[in-house]
Amino acid sequence: MNIGFDGKRAVLNMTGLGNYSRLVIERIAEEYPRDMLNIYTPKLSDNPRLDNIRQLHNISFHLPPQFAFHGGLWRSFGVTNNLRADGVDIYHGLSNELPLNIHGAHIPSVVTIHDVIYRTMPECYKPIDRKIYDFKYGKSCLNATRIIAVSECTKRDIVRFYGVSENKIDVIYQGCDESFRKKWDTNDLKQLHERLHLPEKYLLQVGTIEKRKNLELTIRALSSIDSDIPLVIIGRDHHGYLDYITRIAKELGVYSRLKFYKNLPFKDLPGLYQGAEIVLYPSKYEGFGIPVLEGLESERPVIAATGSCLEEAGGDQTVYVNPDNPRELTEAINAILTGEADTERMIKAGKIYATRFDTKNMASKIMDTYEKAISSYSDYQGSKQRP
């Protein structure tokens, strides 16, 4: 099979959609070495996260023609010319969108939709961004031959907001990077603590510092938790929300207990997870919630929030709290720290639950979706040609 991928996020993004894109490309290339993978990207970068992908023999990168219009326009329109010229059998938009003229490529297409949070929590987005996302992603859902949703929650949202038949949607859970499954030894963890000046014990929250990720809930809960336990926060500030978090933390007298880190090398993340007392992810709404899975794979107790898809990511032994109730989070954290909760059982069950997100299985299911898309596209083309 000759597969085309929208490679913008894989090449240029360090987190989130970039991680998903790289994971899918790498696993399909490794599991299906006879297939050719074509990565279409507006430009290249020296992103170190691409090192493994660059070494795979069945992957090639494609840039806009020398005299093409702007890279963004090429990605939305012009790339279809390249798909036809390169003999691509199927095109996969890995990050919510397809070229707006994908039908002009005359090939089946698949789009992965990660979330439609711009619809469920519109207050978290600028009006112009909401309109752009709604237009582009909505068109992609309608134009795609098949859709991959990263959770049942996202599937329900796609059906609800875009009127797409649920029969057109395959739920395929994403896995996390294999590095989270590798146990760090004591010496490596000690060196990490020394290099990053980490506290001996800490709570951990990973994610962009923005309203939806709900760091505020954790800050408010922290004021009622043992003062010897600080909170390590990994993520970049989004539109100045860190200023608001700082003000709340100072008002509550817990600002000195916050340790902020951003732009950390990805290779450090598994160690940071494994060194944490508890992994926290009380986000108000997610499409999947990869930090929950990373916490389970790192064999740490995890506390997440109700209200979206996080129960899908965390299973029965993750603790879930109301995302608007700091007292619930405080009680859940204290139960784990004091030994009231059966942490050992949580960790063991969480590790077992995480096996359902095996990345080899993910690649196999994605290939099944490609086959279904090719088959249904051929049937559709055949029906158009019959008198």
Side-chain angles (χ1 to χ4, degrees):
M1 191 183 299
N2 196 10
I3 309 166
F5 291 98
D6 175 10
K8 176 186 175 182
R9 306 287 185 177
V11 172
L12 301 177
N13 287 40
M14 298 296 290
T15 59
L17 298 180
N19 289 338
Y20 172 83
S21 299
R22 286 183 290 271
L23 182 65
V24 169
I25 291 168
E26 186 173 343
R27 292 305 288 159
I28 289 179
E30 290 176 342
E31 296 297 327
Y32 303 91
R34 294 184 179 180
D35 292 326
M36 298 304 301
L37 280 63
N38 302 275
I39 316 302
Y40 295 90
T41 175
K43 59 182 179 180
L44 293 174
S45 76
D46 58 357
N47 187 343
R49 301 291 311 284
L50 288 169
D51 288 348
N52 289 339
I53 289 176
R54 290 192 183 99
Q55 297 174 15
L56 297 170
H57 76 279
N58 55 339
I59 289 180
S60 60
F61 290 88
H62 301 261
L63 295 167
Q66 185 176 359
F67 299 107
F69 36 55
H70 184 270
L73 289 175
W74 172 77
R75 181 168 172 254
S76 294
F77 294 99
V79 71
T80 52
N81 295 324
N82 300 80
L83 302 180
R84 288 195 302 269
D86 297 335
V88 167
D89 297 311
I90 190 166
Y91 185 73
H92 187 172
L94 292 163
S95 53
N96 300 316
E97 59 185 301
L98 293 169
L100 293 172
N101 63 341
I102 187 61
H103 290 316
H106 303 295
I107 58 172
S109 60
V110 172
V111 64
T112 296
I113 300 295
H114 296 265
D115 62 70
V116 291
I117 298 172
Y118 50 89
R119 280 290 197 102
T120 57
M121 296 188 68
E123 68 275 13
C124 294
Y125 297 81
K126 296 179 180 179
I128 185 62
D129 289 338
R130 293 202 308 266
K131 291 181 182 294
I132 291 172
Y133 298 155
D134 204 26
F135 174 73
K136 292 171 68 175
Y137 302 169
K139 282 285 188 183
S140 297
C141 288
L142 297 174
N143 290 338
T145 312
R146 291 202 68 80
I147 299 169
I148 292 173
V150 298
S151 67
E152 292 290 346
C153 177
T154 295
K155 177 179 178 178
R156 291 192 296 270
D157 287 343
I158 295 168
V159 173
R160 172 187 172 195
F161 290 113
Y162 295 119
V164 176
S165 169
E166 64 178 20
N167 295 327
K168 182 179 174 178
I169 307 171
D170 297 319
V171 174
I172 302 178
Y173 292 118
Q174 67 183 94
C176 66
D177 194 272
E178 295 292 328
S179 60
F180 289 92
R181 297 186 176 94
K182 298 176 182 176
K183 190 77 171 177
W184 283 40
D185 63 33
T186 304
N187 188 54
D188 288 338
L189 284 174
K190 180 180 178 182
Q191 290 181 11
L192 181 69
H193 274 66
E194 292 174 351
R195 177 159 51 84
L196 298 181
H197 305 289
L198 288 168
E200 181 180 355
K201 293 183 177 182
Y202 58 88
L203 308 174
L204 177 68
Q205 186 159 330
V206 178
T208 304
I209 301 172
E210 60 178 330
K211 181 178 180 180
R212 176 172 59 87
K213 300 291 185 181
N214 211 13
L215 179 59
E216 179 182 352
L217 184 78
T218 308
I219 299 298
R220 293 190 180 282
L222 194 64
S223 62
S224 301
I225 294 167
D226 186 344
S227 60
D228 290 335
I229 304 292
L231 173 65
V232 170
I233 302 159
I234 302 174
R236 59 180 176 81
D237 181 28
H238 184 67
H239 296 316
Y241 192 69
L242 178 58
D243 292 338
Y244 173 75
I245 287 297
T246 298
R247 178 169 61 81
I248 295 296
K250 288 181 177 179
E251 289 175 357
L252 293 170
V254 298
Y255 183 72
S256 63
R257 296 168 62 186
L258 307 184
K259 310 292 182 183
F260 292 96
Y261 297 87
K262 64 177 181 178
N263 300 323
L264 284 175
F266 185 79
K267 63 181 179 63
D268 288 341
L269 277 181
L272 281 157
Y273 272 91
Q274 290 178 31
E277 297 298 304
I278 308 171
V279 174
L280 306 171
Y281 200 62
S283 178
K284 292 193 173 185
Y285 211 92
E286 292 293 325
F288 178 68
I290 196 68
V292 172
L293 178 56
E294 290 170 344
L296 299 184
E297 292 285 19
S298 301
E299 299 185 26
R300 305 314 306 143
V302 178
I303 301 175
T306 59
S308 60
C309 65
L310 298 182
E311 291 95 336
E312 293 181 60
D316 292 342
Q317 291 307 311
T318 291
V319 177
Y320 302 97
V321 299
N322 184 321
D324 297 312
N325 191 328
R327 182 178 177 181
E328 277 192 28
L329 181 57
T330 296
E331 291 174 351
I333 291 172
N334 283 332
I336 292 173
L337 292 178
T338 61
E340 179 184 342
D342 190 345
T343 305
E344 185 176 341
R345 180 171 59 85
M346 289 176 62
I347 291 172
K348 186 177 296 185
K351 188 70 173 177
I352 294 172
Y353 183 81
T355 59
R356 69 179 58 198
F357 303 106
D358 174 69
T359 55
K360 181 176 180 179
N361 187 43
M362 176 195 72
S364 174
K365 289 185 175 181
I366 291 174
M367 291 297 285
D368 288 343
T369 293
Y370 293 167
E371 295 290 352
K372 285 191 283 188
I374 291 171
S375 176
S376 61
Y377 186 83
S378 298
D379 291 344
Y380 173 71
Q381 292 298 108
S383 67
K384 287 203 307 181
Q385 294 172 9
R386 285 193 290 270

mmCIF file with all atom_site columns, all heavy atoms in Angstrom, residues 107-128:
data_model
loop_
_atom_site.group_PDB
_atom_site.id
_atom_site.type_symbol
_atom_site.label_atom_id
_atom_site.label_alt_id
_atom_site.label_comp_id
_atom_site.label_asym_id
_atom_site.label_entity_id
_atom_site.label_seq_id
_atom_site.pdbx_PDB_ins_code
_atom_site.Cartn_x
_atom_site.Cartn_y
_atom_site.Cartn_z
_atom_site.occupancy
_atom_site.B_iso_or_equiv
_atom_site.pdbx_formal_charge
_atom_site.auth_seq_id
_atom_site.auth_comp_id
_atom_site.auth_asym_id
_atom_site.auth_atom_id
_atom_site.pdbx_PDB_model_num
ATOM 1   N N   . ILE A 1 107 ? -8.914  9.677  -4.440 1.00 0.00 ? 107 ILE A N   1
ATOM 2   C CA  . ILE A 1 107 ? -8.472  8.550  -3.623 1.00 0.00 ? 107 ILE A CA  1
ATOM 3   C C   . ILE A 1 107 ? -9.264  8.565  -2.322 1.00 0.00 ? 107 ILE A C   1
ATOM 4   O O   . ILE A 1 107 ? -9.777  9.613  -1.910 1.00 0.00 ? 107 ILE A O   1
ATOM 5   C CB  . ILE A 1 107 ? -6.960  8.605  -3.302 1.00 0.00 ? 107 ILE A CB  1
ATOM 6   C CG1 . ILE A 1 107 ? -6.614  9.915  -2.565 1.00 0.00 ? 107 ILE A CG1 1
ATOM 7   C CG2 . ILE A 1 107 ? -6.119  8.435  -4.553 1.00 0.00 ? 107 ILE A CG2 1
ATOM 8   C CD1 . ILE A 1 107 ? -5.188  9.961  -2.048 1.00 0.00 ? 107 ILE A CD1 1
ATOM 9   N N   . PRO A 1 108 ? -9.395  7.428  -1.640 1.00 0.00 ? 108 PRO A N   1
ATOM 10  C CA  . PRO A 1 108 ? -10.069 7.413  -0.337 1.00 0.00 ? 108 PRO A CA  1
ATOM 11  C C   . PRO A 1 108 ? -9.246  8.164  0.704  1.00 0.00 ? 108 PRO A C   1
ATOM 12  O O   . PRO A 1 108 ? -8.018  8.309  0.569  1.00 0.00 ? 108 PRO A O   1
ATOM 13  C CB  . PRO A 1 108 ? -10.167 5.924  -0.004 1.00 0.00 ? 108 PRO A CB  1
ATOM 14  C CG  . PRO A 1 108 ? -9.091  5.274  -0.801 1.00 0.00 ? 108 PRO A CG  1
ATOM 15  C CD  . PRO A 1 108 ? -8.941  6.085  -2.047 1.00 0.00 ? 108 PRO A CD  1
ATOM 16  N N   . SER A 1 109 ? -9.924  8.630  1.720  1.00 0.00 ? 109 SER A N   1
ATOM 17  C CA  . SER A 1 109 ? -9.236  9.402  2.757  1.00 0.00 ? 109 SER A CA  1
ATOM 18  C C   . SER A 1 109 ? -9.752  9.017  4.140  1.00 0.00 ? 109 SER A C   1
ATOM 19  O O   . SER A 1 109 ? -10.894 8.586  4.309  1.00 0.00 ? 109 SER A O   1
ATOM 20  C CB  . SER A 1 109 ? -9.435  10.907 2.533  1.00 0.00 ? 109 SER A CB  1
ATOM 21  O OG  . SER A 1 109 ? -10.819 11.230 2.563  1.00 0.00 ? 109 SER A OG  1
ATOM 22  N N   . VAL A 1 110 ? -8.874  9.199  5.120  1.00 0.00 ? 110 VAL A N   1
ATOM 23  C CA  . VAL A 1 110 ? -9.198  8.955  6.527  1.00 0.00 ? 110 VAL A CA  1
ATOM 24  C C   . VAL A 1 110 ? -8.756  10.184 7.308  1.00 0.00 ? 110 VAL A C   1
ATOM 25  O O   . VAL A 1 110 ? -7.700  10.749 7.033  1.00 0.00 ? 110 VAL A O   1
ATOM 26  C CB  . VAL A 1 110 ? -8.475  7.706  7.061  1.00 0.00 ? 110 VAL A CB  1
ATOM 27  C CG1 . VAL A 1 110 ? -8.660  7.567  8.577  1.00 0.00 ? 110 VAL A CG1 1
ATOM 28  C CG2 . VAL A 1 110 ? -8.976  6.447  6.360  1.00 0.00 ? 110 VAL A CG2 1
ATOM 29  N N   . VAL A 1 111 ? -9.555  10.610 8.270  1.00 0.00 ? 111 VAL A N   1
ATOM 30  C CA  . VAL A 1 111 ? -9.138  11.703 9.149  1.00 0.00 ? 111 VAL A CA  1
ATOM 31  C C   . VAL A 1 111 ? -9.268  11.252 10.593 1.00 0.00 ? 111 VAL A C   1
ATOM 32  O O   . VAL A 1 111 ? -10.237 10.594 10.967 1.00 0.00 ? 111 VAL A O   1
ATOM 33  C CB  . VAL A 1 111 ? -9.966  12.991 8.910  1.00 0.00 ? 111 VAL A CB  1
ATOM 34  C CG1 . VAL A 1 111 ? -11.438 12.798 9.262  1.00 0.00 ? 111 VAL A CG1 1
ATOM 35  C CG2 . VAL A 1 111 ? -9.381  14.166 9.673  1.00 0.00 ? 111 VAL A CG2 1
ATOM 36  N N   . THR A 1 112 ? -8.251  11.554 11.402 1.00 0.00 ? 112 THR A N   1
ATOM 37  C CA  . THR A 1 112 ? -8.333  11.321 12.842 1.00 0.00 ? 112 THR A CA  1
ATOM 38  C C   . THR A 1 112 ? -8.838  12.588 13.503 1.00 0.00 ? 112 THR A C   1
ATOM 39  O O   . THR A 1 112 ? -8.229  13.651 13.361 1.00 0.00 ? 112 THR A O   1
ATOM 40  C CB  . THR A 1 112 ? -6.970  10.945 13.440 1.00 0.00 ? 112 THR A CB  1
ATOM 41  O OG1 . THR A 1 112 ? -6.533  9.697  12.896 1.00 0.00 ? 112 THR A OG1 1
ATOM 42  C CG2 . THR A 1 112 ? -7.068  10.803 14.948 1.00 0.00 ? 112 THR A CG2 1
ATOM 43  N N   . ILE A 1 113 ? -9.952  12.480 14.202 1.00 0.00 ? 113 ILE A N   1
ATOM 44  C CA  . ILE A 1 113 ? -10.493 13.599 14.968 1.00 0.00 ? 113 ILE A CA  1
ATOM 45  C C   . ILE A 1 113 ? -10.174 13.352 16.443 1.00 0.00 ? 113 ILE A C   1
ATOM 46  O O   . ILE A 1 113 ? -10.584 12.348 17.018 1.00 0.00 ? 113 ILE A O   1
ATOM 47  C CB  . ILE A 1 113 ? -12.014 13.748 14.760 1.00 0.00 ? 113 ILE A CB  1
ATOM 48  C CG1 . ILE A 1 113 ? -12.321 14.004 13.283 1.00 0.00 ? 113 ILE A CG1 1
ATOM 49  C CG2 . ILE A 1 113 ? -12.563 14.866 15.635 1.00 0.00 ? 113 ILE A CG2 1
ATOM 50  C CD1 . ILE A 1 113 ? -11.798 15.317 12.738 1.00 0.00 ? 113 ILE A CD1 1
ATOM 51  N N   . HIS A 1 114 ? -9.437  14.285 17.025 1.00 0.00 ? 114 HIS A N   1
ATOM 52  C CA  . HIS A 1 114 ? -9.004  14.131 18.413 1.00 0.00 ? 114 HIS A CA  1
ATOM 53  C C   . HIS A 1 114 ? -10.028 14.684 19.403 1.00 0.00 ? 114 HIS A C   1
ATOM 54  O O   . HIS A 1 114 ? -10.184 14.154 20.506 1.00 0.00 ? 114 HIS A O   1
ATOM 55  C CB  . HIS A 1 114 ? -7.653  14.811 18.604 1.00 0.00 ? 114 HIS A CB  1
ATOM 56  C CG  . HIS A 1 114 ? -6.567  14.179 17.796 1.00 0.00 ? 114 HIS A CG  1
ATOM 57  N ND1 . HIS A 1 114 ? -5.728  13.216 18.300 1.00 0.00 ? 114 HIS A ND1 1
ATOM 58  C CD2 . HIS A 1 114 ? -6.201  14.344 16.491 1.00 0.00 ? 114 HIS A CD2 1
ATOM 59  C CE1 . HIS A 1 114 ? -4.887  12.818 17.347 1.00 0.00 ? 114 HIS A CE1 1
ATOM 60  N NE2 . HIS A 1 114 ? -5.165  13.490 16.250 1.00 0.00 ? 114 HIS A NE2 1
ATOM 61  N N   . ASP A 1 115 ? -10.682 15.762 19.028 1.00 0.00 ? 115 ASP A N   1
ATOM 62  C CA  . ASP A 1 115 ? -11.711 16.339 19.888 1.00 0.00 ? 115 ASP A CA  1
ATOM 63  C C   . ASP A 1 115 ? -12.427 17.438 19.123 1.00 0.00 ? 115 ASP A C   1
ATOM 64  O O   . ASP A 1 115 ? -11.970 17.884 18.071 1.00 0.00 ? 115 ASP A O   1
ATOM 65  C CB  . ASP A 1 115 ? -11.108 16.902 21.195 1.00 0.00 ? 115 ASP A CB  1
ATOM 66  C CG  . ASP A 1 115 ? -10.113 18.028 20.933 1.00 0.00 ? 115 ASP A CG  1
ATOM 67  O OD1 . ASP A 1 115 ? -10.553 19.123 20.519 1.00 0.00 ? 115 ASP A OD1 1
ATOM 68  O OD2 . ASP A 1 115 ? -8.901  17.826 21.143 1.00 0.00 ? 115 ASP A OD2 1
ATOM 69  N N   . VAL A 1 116 ? -13.565 17.860 19.661 1.00 0.00 ? 116 VAL A N   1
ATOM 70  C CA  . VAL A 1 116 ? -14.265 19.043 19.144 1.00 0.00 ? 116 VAL A CA  1
ATOM 71  C C   . VAL A 1 116 ? -14.549 19.968 20.336 1.00 0.00 ? 116 VAL A C   1
ATOM 72  O O   . VAL A 1 116 ? -15.659 20.473 20.517 1.00 0.00 ? 116 VAL A O   1
ATOM 73  C CB  . VAL A 1 116 ? -15.553 18.678 18.377 1.00 0.00 ? 116 VAL A CB  1
ATOM 74  C CG1 . VAL A 1 116 ? -15.233 17.993 17.082 1.00 0.00 ? 116 VAL A CG1 1
ATOM 75  C CG2 . VAL A 1 116 ? -16.458 17.785 19.213 1.00 0.00 ? 116 VAL A CG2 1
ATOM 76  N N   . ILE A 1 117 ? -13.513 20.208 21.119 1.00 0.00 ? 117 ILE A N   1
ATOM 77  C CA  . ILE A 1 117 ? -13.647 20.992 22.345 1.00 0.00 ? 117 ILE A CA  1
ATOM 78  C C   . ILE A 1 117 ? -14.017 22.440 22.038 1.00 0.00 ? 117 ILE A C   1
ATOM 79  O O   . ILE A 1 117 ? -14.629 23.120 22.855 1.00 0.00 ? 117 ILE A O   1
ATOM 80  C CB  . ILE A 1 117 ? -12.362 20.884 23.189 1.00 0.00 ? 117 ILE A CB  1
ATOM 81  C CG1 . ILE A 1 117 ? -12.132 19.422 23.595 1.00 0.00 ? 117 ILE A CG1 1
ATOM 82  C CG2 . ILE A 1 117 ? -12.443 21.749 24.438 1.00 0.00 ? 117 ILE A CG2 1
ATOM 83  C CD1 . ILE A 1 117 ? -10.805 19.165 24.274 1.00 0.00 ? 117 ILE A CD1 1
ATOM 84  N N   . TYR A 1 118 ? -13.678 22.916 20.850 1.00 0.00 ? 118 TYR A N   1
ATOM 85  C CA  . TYR A 1 118 ? -14.082 24.264 20.454 1.00 0.00 ? 118 TYR A CA  1
ATOM 86  C C   . TYR A 1 118 ? -15.598 24.374 20.404 1.00 0.00 ? 118 TYR A C   1
ATOM 87  O O   . TYR A 1 118 ? -16.158 25.475 20.438 1.00 0.00 ? 118 TYR A O   1
ATOM 88  C CB  . TYR A 1 118 ? -13.478 24.623 19.093 1.00 0.00 ? 118 TYR A CB  1
ATOM 89  C CG  . TYR A 1 118 ? -13.685 23.578 18.035 1.00 0.00 ? 118 TYR A CG  1
ATOM 90  C CD1 . TYR A 1 118 ? -14.817 23.575 17.227 1.00 0.00 ? 118 TYR A CD1 1
ATOM 91  C CD2 . TYR A 1 118 ? -12.757 22.549 17.854 1.00 0.00 ? 118 TYR A CD2 1
ATOM 92  C CE1 . TYR A 1 118 ? -15.033 22.593 16.285 1.00 0.00 ? 118 TYR A CE1 1
ATOM 93  C CE2 . TYR A 1 118 ? -12.963 21.572 16.905 1.00 0.00 ? 118 TYR A CE2 1
ATOM 94  C CZ  . TYR A 1 118 ? -14.094 21.594 16.122 1.00 0.00 ? 118 TYR A CZ  1
ATOM 95  O OH  . TYR A 1 118 ? -14.298 20.616 15.177 1.00 0.00 ? 118 TYR A OH  1
ATOM 96  N N   . ARG A 1 119 ? -16.297 23.236 20.342 1.00 0.00 ? 119 ARG A N   1
ATOM 97  C CA  . ARG A 1 119 ? -17.757 23.211 20.409 1.00 0.00 ? 119 ARG A CA  1
ATOM 98  C C   . ARG A 1 119 ? -18.249 22.982 21.848 1.00 0.00 ? 119 ARG A C   1
ATOM 99  O O   . ARG A 1 119 ? -19.207 23.600 22.297 1.00 0.00 ? 119 ARG A O   1
ATOM 100 C CB  . ARG A 1 119 ? -18.319 22.104 19.514 1.00 0.00 ? 119 ARG A CB  1
ATOM 101 C CG  . ARG A 1 119 ? -18.397 22.425 18.038 1.00 0.00 ? 119 ARG A CG  1
ATOM 102 C CD  . ARG A 1 119 ? -19.471 23.482 17.754 1.00 0.00 ? 119 ARG A CD  1
ATOM 103 N NE  . ARG A 1 119 ? -19.840 23.524 16.350 1.00 0.00 ? 119 ARG A NE  1
ATOM 104 C CZ  . ARG A 1 119 ? -20.950 22.987 15.842 1.00 0.00 ? 119 ARG A CZ  1
ATOM 105 N NH1 . ARG A 1 119 ? -21.799 22.355 16.623 1.00 0.00 ? 119 ARG A NH1 1
ATOM 106 N NH2 . ARG A 1 119 ? -21.218 23.091 14.557 1.00 0.00 ? 119 ARG A NH2 1
ATOM 107 N N   . THR A 1 120 ? -17.602 22.064 22.574 1.00 0.00 ? 120 THR A N   1
ATOM 108 C CA  . THR A 1 120 ? -18.077 21.724 23.915 1.00 0.00 ? 120 THR A CA  1
ATOM 109 C C   . THR A 1 120 ? -17.675 22.776 24.955 1.00 0.00 ? 120 THR A C   1
ATOM 110 O O   . THR A 1 120 ? -18.372 22.961 25.946 1.00 0.00 ? 120 THR A O   1
ATOM 111 C CB  . THR A 1 120 ? -17.525 20.355 24.356 1.00 0.00 ? 120 THR A CB  1
ATOM 112 O OG1 . THR A 1 120 ? -16.095 20.368 24.296 1.00 0.00 ? 120 THR A OG1 1
ATOM 113 C CG2 . THR A 1 120 ? -18.057 19.249 23.451 1.00 0.00 ? 120 THR A CG2 1
ATOM 114 N N   . MET A 1 121 ? -16.528 23.454 24.746 1.00 0.00 ? 121 MET A N   1
ATOM 115 C CA  . MET A 1 121 ? -16.079 24.521 25.641 1.00 0.00 ? 121 MET A CA  1
ATOM 116 C C   . MET A 1 121 ? -15.653 25.734 24.812 1.00 0.00 ? 121 MET A C   1
ATOM 117 O O   . MET A 1 121 ? -14.477 26.111 24.786 1.00 0.00 ? 121 MET A O   1
ATOM 118 C CB  . MET A 1 121 ? -14.936 24.038 26.530 1.00 0.00 ? 121 MET A CB  1
ATOM 119 C CG  . MET A 1 121 ? -15.296 22.932 27.502 1.00 0.00 ? 121 MET A CG  1
ATOM 120 S SD  . MET A 1 121 ? -13.970 22.575 28.692 1.00 0.00 ? 121 MET A SD  1
ATOM 121 C CE  . MET A 1 121 ? -13.958 24.072 29.684 1.00 0.00 ? 121 MET A CE  1
ATOM 122 N N   . PRO A 1 122 ? -16.575 26.365 24.123 1.00 0.00 ? 122 PRO A N   1
ATOM 123 C CA  . PRO A 1 122 ? -16.225 27.466 23.227 1.00 0.00 ? 122 PRO A CA  1
ATOM 124 C C   . PRO A 1 122 ? -15.562 28.646 23.923 1.00 0.00 ? 122 PRO A C   1
ATOM 125 O O   . PRO A 1 122 ? -14.812 29.408 23.300 1.00 0.00 ? 122 PRO A O   1
ATOM 126 C CB  . PRO A 1 122 ? -17.573 27.868 22.609 1.00 0.00 ? 122 PRO A CB  1
ATOM 127 C CG  . PRO A 1 122 ? -18.603 27.368 23.580 1.00 0.00 ? 122 PRO A CG  1
ATOM 128 C CD  . PRO A 1 122 ? -18.030 26.106 24.138 1.00 0.00 ? 122 PRO A CD  1
ATOM 129 N N   . GLU A 1 123 ? -15.829 28.797 25.231 1.00 0.00 ? 123 GLU A N   1
ATOM 130 C CA  . GLU A 1 123 ? -15.252 29.916 25.972 1.00 0.00 ? 123 GLU A CA  1
ATOM 131 C C   . GLU A 1 123 ? -13.721 29.846 26.049 1.00 0.00 ? 123 GLU A C   1
ATOM 132 O O   . GLU A 1 123 ? -13.068 30.842 26.392 1.00 0.00 ? 123 GLU A O   1
ATOM 133 C CB  . GLU A 1 123 ? -15.839 29.984 27.381 1.00 0.00 ? 123 GLU A CB  1
ATOM 134 C CG  . GLU A 1 123 ? -15.460 28.835 28.308 1.00 0.00 ? 123 GLU A CG  1
ATOM 135 C CD  . GLU A 1 123 ? -16.346 27.601 28.162 1.00 0.00 ? 123 GLU A CD  1
ATOM 136 O OE1 . GLU A 1 123 ? -17.106 27.511 27.180 1.00 0.00 ? 123 GLU A OE1 1
ATOM 137 O OE2 . GLU A 1 123 ? -16.259 26.712 29.044 1.00 0.00 ? 123 GLU A OE2 1
ATOM 138 N N   . CYS A 1 124 ? -13.152 28.686 25.741 1.00 0.00 ? 124 CYS A N   1
ATOM 139 C CA  . CYS A 1 124 ? -11.692 28.519 25.811 1.00 0.00 ? 124 CYS A CA  1
ATOM 140 C C   . CYS A 1 124 ? -10.993 28.908 24.510 1.00 0.00 ? 124 CYS A C   1
ATOM 141 O O   . CYS A 1 124 ? -9.764  28.787 24.416 1.00 0.00 ? 124 CYS A O   1
ATOM 142 C CB  . CYS A 1 124 ? -11.359 27.065 26.154 1.00 0.00 ? 124 CYS A CB  1
ATOM 143 S SG  . CYS A 1 124 ? -11.897 26.568 27.805 1.00 0.00 ? 124 CYS A SG  1
ATOM 144 N N   . TYR A 1 125 ? -11.749 29.356 23.527 1.00 0.00 ? 125 TYR A N   1
ATOM 145 C CA  . TYR A 1 125 ? -11.169 29.668 22.218 1.00 0.00 ? 125 TYR A CA  1
ATOM 146 C C   . TYR A 1 125 ? -11.581 31.061 21.764 1.00 0.00 ? 125 TYR A C   1
ATOM 147 O O   . TYR A 1 125 ? -12.659 31.547 22.092 1.00 0.00 ? 125 TYR A O   1
ATOM 148 C CB  . TYR A 1 125 ? -11.647 28.643 21.165 1.00 0.00 ? 125 TYR A CB  1
ATOM 149 C CG  . TYR A 1 125 ? -11.202 27.238 21.435 1.00 0.00 ? 125 TYR A CG  1
ATOM 150 C CD1 . TYR A 1 125 ? -11.890 26.426 22.344 1.00 0.00 ? 125 TYR A CD1 1
ATOM 151 C CD2 . TYR A 1 125 ? -10.084 26.702 20.800 1.00 0.00 ? 125 TYR A CD2 1
ATOM 152 C CE1 . TYR A 1 125 ? -11.483 25.134 22.605 1.00 0.00 ? 125 TYR A CE1 1
ATOM 153 C CE2 . TYR A 1 125 ? -9.667  25.412 21.056 1.00 0.00 ? 125 TYR A CE2 1
ATOM 154 C CZ  . TYR A 1 125 ? -10.366 24.633 21.957 1.00 0.00 ? 125 TYR A CZ  1
ATOM 155 O OH  . TYR A 1 125 ? -9.960  23.350 22.217 1.00 0.00 ? 125 TYR A OH  1
ATOM 156 N N   . LYS A 1 126 ? -10.720 31.687 20.993 1.00 0.00 ? 126 LYS A N   1
ATOM 157 C CA  . LYS A 1 126 ? -11.070 32.951 20.367 1.00 0.00 ? 126 LYS A CA  1
ATOM 158 C C   . LYS A 1 126 ? -12.161 32.697 19.326 1.00 0.00 ? 126 LYS A C   1
ATOM 159 O O   . LYS A 1 126 ? -12.149 31.654 18.657 1.00 0.00 ? 126 LYS A O   1
ATOM 160 C CB  . LYS A 1 126 ? -9.848  33.561 19.685 1.00 0.00 ? 126 LYS A CB  1
ATOM 161 C CG  . LYS A 1 126 ? -8.718  33.941 20.633 1.00 0.00 ? 126 LYS A CG  1
ATOM 162 C CD  . LYS A 1 126 ? -7.543  34.509 19.862 1.00 0.00 ? 126 LYS A CD  1
ATOM 163 C CE  . LYS A 1 126 ? -6.405  34.886 20.795 1.00 0.00 ? 126 LYS A CE  1
ATOM 164 N NZ  . LYS A 1 126 ? -5.229  35.417 20.042 1.00 0.00 ? 126 LYS A NZ  1
ATOM 165 N N   . PRO A 1 127 ? -13.075 33.634 19.163 1.00 0.00 ? 127 PRO A N   1
ATOM 166 C CA  . PRO A 1 127 ? -14.162 33.434 18.191 1.00 0.00 ? 127 PRO A CA  1
ATOM 167 C C   . PRO A 1 127 ? -13.673 33.076 16.796 1.00 0.00 ? 127 PRO A C   1
ATOM 168 O O   . PRO A 1 127 ? -14.241 32.195 16.147 1.00 0.00 ? 127 PRO A O   1
ATOM 169 C CB  . PRO A 1 127 ? -14.891 34.782 18.211 1.00 0.00 ? 127 PRO A CB  1
ATOM 170 C CG  . PRO A 1 127 ? -14.649 35.316 19.582 1.00 0.00 ? 127 PRO A CG  1
ATOM 171 C CD  . PRO A 1 127 ? -13.246 34.883 19.926 1.00 0.00 ? 127 PRO A CD  1
ATOM 172 N N   . ILE A 1 128 ? -12.619 33.742 16.321 1.00 0.00 ? 128 ILE A N   1
ATOM 173 C CA  . ILE A 1 128 ? -12.129 33.454 14.964 1.00 0.00 ? 128 ILE A CA  1
ATOM 174 C C   . ILE A 1 128 ? -11.571 32.045 14.875 1.00 0.00 ? 128 ILE A C   1
ATOM 175 O O   . ILE A 1 128 ? -11.756 31.337 13.868 1.00 0.00 ? 128 ILE A O   1
ATOM 176 C CB  . ILE A 1 128 ? -11.057 34.494 14.526 1.00 0.00 ? 128 ILE A CB  1
ATOM 177 C CG1 . ILE A 1 128 ? -10.649 34.257 13.081 1.00 0.00 ? 128 ILE A CG1 1
ATOM 178 C CG2 . ILE A 1 128 ? -9.860  34.466 15.454 1.00 0.00 ? 128 ILE A CG2 1
ATOM 179 C CD1 . ILE A 1 128 ? -11.760 34.401 12.076 1.00 0.00 ? 128 ILE A CD1 1
#
